[in-house]
Amino acid sequence: MADPLVLGIETSCDETGVALVRGHDLLVDAVASSVDEHARFGGIIPEIASRAHLEAMVPTIERALATADVSLGEVDAIAVTAGPGLVGPLTVGASAAKALALGLGKPLYGVNHVIGHAVVDELVDGPFPERVMALVVSGGHSSLLLIDDTVNVTELGSTLDDAAGEAFDKVGRLLGLPYPGGPHIDRLARDGDPHAIRFPRGLTAPKDQADHAADFSFSGLKTAVARWVETQQDAGREIPLNDVAASFAEAVADVLTAKTIAACRRHDVSTLVVGGGFSANSQLRDMAAKRCAEAGIELRIPPIRYCTDNGAMIAALGSAVVRRGLPPSSLDIPVDSSMPLTQVLV
């Protein structure tokens, strides 16, 4: 099929996403989020997320079909997140996708959530060149991926502890900000001095380059922020939230972009795709744009609506897989909370 109509379902965490993609064209992207139900707990509660997916699944599918003016019978293939993610939410989405595939007699494709965060950019900026570098940054992942022909992935590096988004949420909690902390730190940082406090840059010392040139670590940075704040409080000083936020965000963006640009040069890659929920961060976007321009690298970052979890990214990856003739998944595929990033399809 040159232009298959793919229905994508995403339920790896707290968003129920359903989208329809034909080739590289997005027909509809419907999302139902349960983030407000988790806010009072300061983090995602898997049982609450699973129940929310159960309640939202059928209405979200119906809303997507109605918006696109498409019937289920017109769908050529079903793509669903098989991992990584939370087991309960993943199971809800996979069960719905299996039921649809069986009932419609259509092929099922269990695809990788993290790779979808990069491939969704094909719906915005067009097909990838033969080889691209992808930096996928979210609450659970900070990964550098070398992608050939859209569906062949080599993992160059990842976070050794806290992911960028996770570090932002933890620092947000430390500063007394609402959950999720990322957007609030981003907002405060815009009015702060990013050079007011010199926070550490993890895994950037010369001794780390041999074994961890493409890896990330933000746990030490998070601890450094906590100690700085504690020292100021012990001295009876007011905490300059804007400056702390700006300096912290600057440290994260500095490490992410410096290591990514270096990886592009090592592998002679001239196109960089940045995706994932944390790619909405304004400091990261600004610094990536500046450093890519200086290095002569084309930067592709999807609009913010495609950075957080959504069905479009799963439908986009499913479409790429189908168009390349990869074999479909079986109806008894398991979900995998720690699905390897080199595995595009189950």
Side-chain angles (χ1 to χ4, degrees):
M1 292 178 290
D3 291 307
L5 179 61
V6 178
L7 174 69
I9 297 175
E10 153 60 21
T11 61
S12 65
C13 193
D14 60 333
E15 275 94 17
T16 306
V18 178
L20 286 159
V21 165
R22 187 184 295 279
H24 293 103
D25 296 326
L26 176 64
L27 277 64
V28 64
D29 181 35
V31 178
S33 178
S34 62
V35 65
D36 291 342
E37 299 178 47
H38 305 278
R40 65 192 180 98
F41 298 102
I44 302 299
I45 307 300
E47 292 82 359
I48 293 176
S50 299
R51 280 200 302 274
H53 288 306
L54 281 169
E55 295 171 358
M57 182 59 64
V58 172
T60 307
I61 292 174
E62 291 177 341
R63 175 158 54 96
L65 293 169
T67 302
D69 193 21
V70 168
S71 69
L72 276 175
E74 296 176 72
V75 172
D76 296 309
I78 312 294
V80 65
T81 300
L86 301 173
V87 171
L90 286 172
T91 301
V92 175
S95 298
K98 290 175 183 180
L100 287 170
L102 181 62
L104 297 171
K106 302 296 183 180
L108 172 71
Y109 296 86
V111 299
N112 192 302
H113 167 88
V114 174
I115 299 169
H117 271 305
V119 176
V120 71
D121 185 68
E122 288 200 318
L123 304 179
V124 180
D125 296 313
F128 284 170
E130 183 63 27
R131 168 170 282 196
V132 300
M133 186 72 67
L135 172 65
V136 179
V137 279
S138 65
H141 297 274
S142 294
S143 304
L144 262 180
L145 308 175
L146 188 61
I147 302 179
D148 294 289
D149 191 31
T150 305
V151 296
N152 298 308
V153 179
T154 302
E155 184 179 12
L156 301 179
S158 63
T159 182
L160 303 185
D161 40 58
D162 290 342
E166 184 181 9
F168 262 66
D169 287 339
K170 290 180 177 179
V171 169
R173 190 178 304 121
L174 170 71
L175 297 178
L177 303 175
Y179 175 86
H184 299 285
I185 292 179
D186 193 1
R187 174 178 50 81
L188 290 172
R190 293 170 192 170
D191 296 321
D193 179 2
H195 306 294
I197 310 160
R198 176 66 185 183
F199 287 128
R201 273 68 167 160
L203 296 181
T204 59
K207 63 181 178 63
D208 297 316
Q209 293 308 301
D211 296 327
H212 299 293
D215 291 320
F216 306 102
S217 172
F218 298 109
S219 180
L221 170 60
K222 174 198 64 182
T223 301
V225 175
R227 288 176 176 167
W228 191 92
V229 169
E230 183 180 351
T231 299
Q232 299 304 304
Q233 290 173 333
D234 289 345
R237 303 189 188 100
E238 183 178 352
I239 305 301
L241 291 180
N242 291 343
D243 288 346
V244 174
S247 299
F248 166 69
E250 175 84 358
V252 173
D254 185 16
V255 172
L256 288 172
T257 56
K259 283 176 169 277
T260 299
I261 296 297
C264 288
R265 286 172 170 157
R266 279 197 306 274
H267 294 275
D268 194 25
V269 176
S270 58
T271 302
L272 169 64
V273 179
V274 181
F278 187 72
S279 66
N281 178 265
S282 60
Q283 289 88 349
L284 175 61
R285 285 176 172 252
D286 291 345
M287 193 175 292
K290 178 176 180 293
R291 289 183 170 176
C292 280
E294 292 171 348
I297 295 170
E298 178 192 7
L299 175 64
R300 296 172 50 154
I301 307 181
I304 290 175
R305 61 173 292 197
Y306 299 124
C307 295
T308 53
D309 295 345
N310 57 81
M313 63 192 232
I314 302 305
L317 182 52
S319 178
V321 164
V322 174
R323 284 183 283 109
R324 283 163 178 77
L326 273 64
S329 307
S330 65
L331 287 175
D332 62 350
I333 59 167
V335 297
D336 186 354
S337 62
S338 56
M339 187 173 178
L341 301 190
T342 53
Q343 185 177 2
V344 173
L345 173 69
V346 177

